[in-house]
């Protein structure tokens, strides 16, 4: 699972998904607030340990917001292992990741890369030819290699108007022209982004392969 928003319990139970690995892209509320639910979720639903991957900056945010979840810390190399403490049956294993350093998790190669998100950076996540880019205004040149040969791109399109920290339709068009992904699903839209209006906006410009995502959407690779 990528990010853990405030409604993650509702979303995962509705989609019948039980994540055992979570990658977190940055420390904003809408991407980490569900962490507060984890102790109960792990006891009642998951019933096993959980691996969480994020970078140093985001981990610092999370530690500040949920200090009681970081009861005990042992360090093994670059991996920080932190648990709820002895009264809890299951543990969260926190793994520090860095942009451009791939990690293996659940037999998947996860490649984080930097994205400019206004005053701070977020992590984009690449897994094979699937790329997840929430909360991004632009990409540093260093990240361009990570955006080559994308099959499925989940991409920020928050507002109609350009903003400092998020995507908009015109920006999405430029990115699609530059990196030529086979299919794009827009995410993070605000309440002014009507689904059918946004969909038509791209169809009208000859970009029918760029469509708004929605809760519960199932995505297939474009080649199947
Ligand atoms: Zn954000
Ligand atoms: Zn966000």
């Amino acid at each position: 699972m990528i990010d853990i928003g405030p409604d993650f319990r509702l979303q995962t139970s509705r989609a019948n998904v039980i994540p055992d690995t979570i990658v977190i892209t940055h420390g904003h509320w809408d991407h980490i607030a569900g962490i507060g639910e984890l102790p109960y979720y792990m006891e009642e639903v998951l019933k096993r340990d959980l691996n969480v991957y994020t970078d140093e900056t985001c981990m610092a945010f999370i530690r500040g917001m949920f200090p009681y979840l970081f009861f005990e810390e042992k360090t093994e190399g670059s991996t920080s292992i932190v648990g709820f403490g002895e009264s809890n049956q299951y543990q969260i294993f926190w793994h520090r990741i860095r942009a451009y350093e791939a990690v293996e998790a659940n037999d998947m190669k996860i490649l984080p890369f930097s994205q400019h998100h206004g005053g701070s950076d977020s992590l984009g996540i690449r897994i094979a030819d699937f790329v997840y880019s929430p909360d991004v205004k632009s990409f540093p040149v260093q990240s361009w290699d990570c955006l080559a040969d994308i099959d499925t791109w989940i991409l920020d399109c928050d507002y109609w108007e350009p903003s400092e920290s998020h995507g908009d339709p015109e920006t999405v068009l430029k990115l699609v022209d530059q990196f030529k992904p086979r299919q794009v699903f827009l995410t993070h839209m605000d309440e002014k982004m009507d689904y059918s209006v946004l969909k038509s906006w791209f169809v009208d410009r000859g970009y029918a392969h760029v469509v708004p995502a929605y809760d519960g959407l199932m995505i297939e690779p474009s080649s199947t």
Side-chain angles (χ1 to χ4, degrees):
M1 185 166 81
I2 302 177
D3 289 332
I4 174 162
D7 59 351
F8 99 95
R9 283 216 294 181
L10 171 71
Q11 297 278 3
T12 51
S13 65
R14 190 165 62 183
N16 200 22
V17 167
I18 300 179
D20 52 13
T21 299
I22 301 176
V23 186
I24 303 177
T25 59
H26 65 301
H28 285 169
W29 169 261
D30 50 322
H31 299 257
I32 64 171
I35 285 173
E37 301 264 25
L38 278 182
Y40 322 103
Y41 183 80
M42 290 172 71
E43 295 284 327
E44 303 299 331
V45 181
L46 192 63
K47 299 186 190 296
R48 57 175 182 257
D49 294 335
L50 181 67
N51 289 293
V52 181
Y53 295 79
T54 194
D55 68 10
E56 188 78 46
T57 308
C58 181
M59 193 179 283
F61 271 120
I62 294 169
R63 291 196 73 151
M65 195 176 285
F66 303 100
Y68 56 92
L69 293 185
F70 293 80
F71 186 83
E72 174 189 341
E73 186 167 6
K74 294 172 250 168
T75 302
E76 291 182 3
S78 63
T79 301
S80 175
I81 302 172
V82 185
F84 287 131
E86 287 170 12
S87 62
N88 292 79
Q89 201 175 348
Y90 306 107
Q91 281 202 314
I92 301 179
F93 292 86
W94 295 89
H95 304 267
R96 282 196 192 85
I97 54 175
R98 283 197 192 92
Y100 314 114
E101 293 180 10
V103 292
E104 291 275 339
N106 287 11
D107 299 324
M108 284 186 301
K109 188 177 141 196
I110 297 172
L111 176 64
F113 58 90
S114 247
Q115 309 183 132
H116 294 322
H117 177 31
S120 57
D121 282 356
S122 61
L123 291 175
I125 305 296
R126 181 164 187 142
I127 301 168
D129 57 6
F130 170 89
V131 174
Y132 191 74
S133 291
D135 295 46
V136 57
K137 171 65 181 179
S138 62
F139 297 91
V141 177
Q142 265 178 298
S143 294
W144 289 7
D145 282 352
C146 304
L147 300 170
D149 299 320
I150 298 175
D151 181 74
T152 301
W153 198 3
I154 314 296
L155 182 59
D156 182 5
C157 188
D158 202 326
Y159 308 116
W160 281 112
E161 300 300 324
S163 82
E164 291 293 305
S165 51
H166 282 280
D168 58 88
E170 293 287 356
T171 302
V172 167
L173 279 196
K174 288 190 190 105
L175 290 168
V176 169
D177 283 344
Q178 182 177 358
F179 297 108
K180 302 185 170 37
R182 289 193 278 286
Q183 57 180 355
V184 178
F185 294 91
L186 306 173
T187 190
H188 216 290
M189 288 78 77
D190 81 351
E191 69 283 359
K192 296 192 185 69
M193 298 292 241
D194 178 80
Y195 177 85
S196 53
V197 174
L198 186 58
K199 188 172 181 183
S200 301
W201 192 94
F202 284 95
V203 169
D204 291 349
R205 285 158 181 78
Y207 292 77
H209 60 306
V210 180
V211 294
Y214 52 84
D215 288 355
L217 172 68
M218 302 281 282
I219 294 174
E220 299 287 342
S222 70
S223 46
T224 60

